[in-house]
Amino acid sequence: MSARAQLAATLTGATLEALRNEIDLAEQQAAHWSSATAASVDRNRLFDEVAGSSYVTLRRFQNQENDCKPRMEENTSAISHVRNTARDHSSVGDPPERYPMDRARQAGWHMRGKTTASPFVSLVEDPAKLAVSRDHWARAITNDADALYTYTVPTPTVWTPDDVLSSIGLGMNAEDQDNIDEDVDLMCSLGRTPTREIERLFLGGNSESYRTVSETNPYTRESSE
């Protein structure tokens, strides 16, 4: 049951509801194979273990429920991107960077505010830190949004600044002279990004499937006055 739950999280990108259903189904099927004296499995404990190890909880300030779509590739699910990345890596001999170089560049420029041609959606771990960011655009988003949404997403769908920097740096070591100047500029720019708010990027057009909580934005100017 544990292995099946882990596979649901990592290979199908199951939502938390789908994960719980998968655990319930696995228990029903296992009951047919187990003896009457076999110890029962604590489904709630198993769910908590897999959710804790294979998912991450992130938040996003929004005005509308559908304000969680990327500007590009919005019809591609997160797990499809994960599979495509794995296939790209295997086809070229498992490159050392975690992310394909072109994707890493897209992610890097998204983090620097160039989101008009991006397949990513920005989220944060701690919205309170975004509210006091040194970045005035970040504070404006925090103060002006109507609602604060919580998303619980599979870990493989999340891109972190450290991993993006690492991938770009490793790609530069491959002596890509055509893009070396732009890559250096991007890395320096990312290095100046405030880190308090811990930005995370979700790659995929189905983030709404992983929404778990919605609430009125507690950080609006009216709320803080």
Side-chain angles (χ1 to χ4, degrees):
M1 287 177 59
S2 177
R4 181 165 177 168
Q6 290 286 353
L7 288 175
T10 57
L11 293 185
T12 71
T15 63
L16 290 184
E17 180 181 4
L19 174 64
R20 191 176 292 280
N21 291 338
E22 193 67 24
I23 291 173
D24 291 344
L25 180 60
E27 183 186 43
Q28 295 172 18
Q29 294 179 339
H32 296 298
W33 306 326
S34 303
S35 65
T37 58
S40 62
V41 175
D42 186 335
R43 290 178 297 171
N44 290 330
R45 179 185 60 78
L46 177 57
F47 174 85
D48 290 342
E49 288 178 353
V50 176
S53 63
S54 301
Y55 291 78
V56 60
T57 298
L58 302 171
R59 293 173 175 83
R60 178 174 170 81
F61 292 96
Q62 300 174 206
N63 289 319
Q64 303 292 334
E65 285 194 355
N66 62 353
D67 286 346
C68 58
K69 289 288 187 181
R71 303 292 179 87
M72 293 177 56
E73 303 179 49
E74 66 176 67
N75 295 321
T76 304
S77 69
I79 200 63
S80 293
H81 281 302
V82 172
R83 291 170 180 163
N84 291 339
T85 297
R87 183 167 55 249
D88 290 344
H89 276 204
S90 64
S91 66
V92 295
D94 190 23
E97 68 271 13
R98 175 178 175 185
Y99 306 128
M101 191 62 172
D102 288 345
R103 283 293 191 203
R105 288 175 179 137
Q106 283 182 315
W109 287 118
H110 181 109
M111 292 175 182
R112 295 306 302 144
K114 296 183 178 181
T115 62
T116 55
S118 171
F120 296 92
V121 175
S122 292
L123 303 102
V124 294
E125 288 188 353
D126 187 345
K129 292 180 178 179
L130 195 68
V132 295
S133 171
R134 289 181 287 130
D135 185 333
H136 71 281
W137 291 111
R139 293 197 307 274
I141 292 172
T142 304
N143 292 328
D144 296 338
D146 294 331
L148 177 63
Y149 288 86
T150 299
Y151 298 85
T152 305
V153 302
T155 302
T157 66
V158 177
W159 293 52
T160 71
D162 287 345
D163 287 331
V164 171
L165 277 169
S166 176
S167 290
I168 294 174
L170 287 168
M172 290 170 60
N173 290 336
E175 298 183 359
D176 183 1
Q177 297 299 322
D178 291 337
N179 294 287
I180 188 70
D181 291 339
E182 185 175 353
D183 289 340
V184 169
D185 180 46
L186 176 55
M187 292 192 71
C188 292
S189 182
L190 285 173
R192 295 191 297 270
T193 303
T195 57
R196 285 175 54 86
E197 51 267 27
I198 316 179
E199 182 179 16
R200 297 288 182 257
L201 298 185
F202 177 86
L203 177 59
N206 63 327
S207 60
E208 74 279 0
S209 300
Y210 301 101
R211 187 181 298 146
T212 51
V213 179
S214 63
E215 60 182 305
T216 301
N217 181 11
Y219 301 98
T220 60
R221 289 187 176 90
E222 293 78 5
S223 299
S224 59
E225 292 176 350

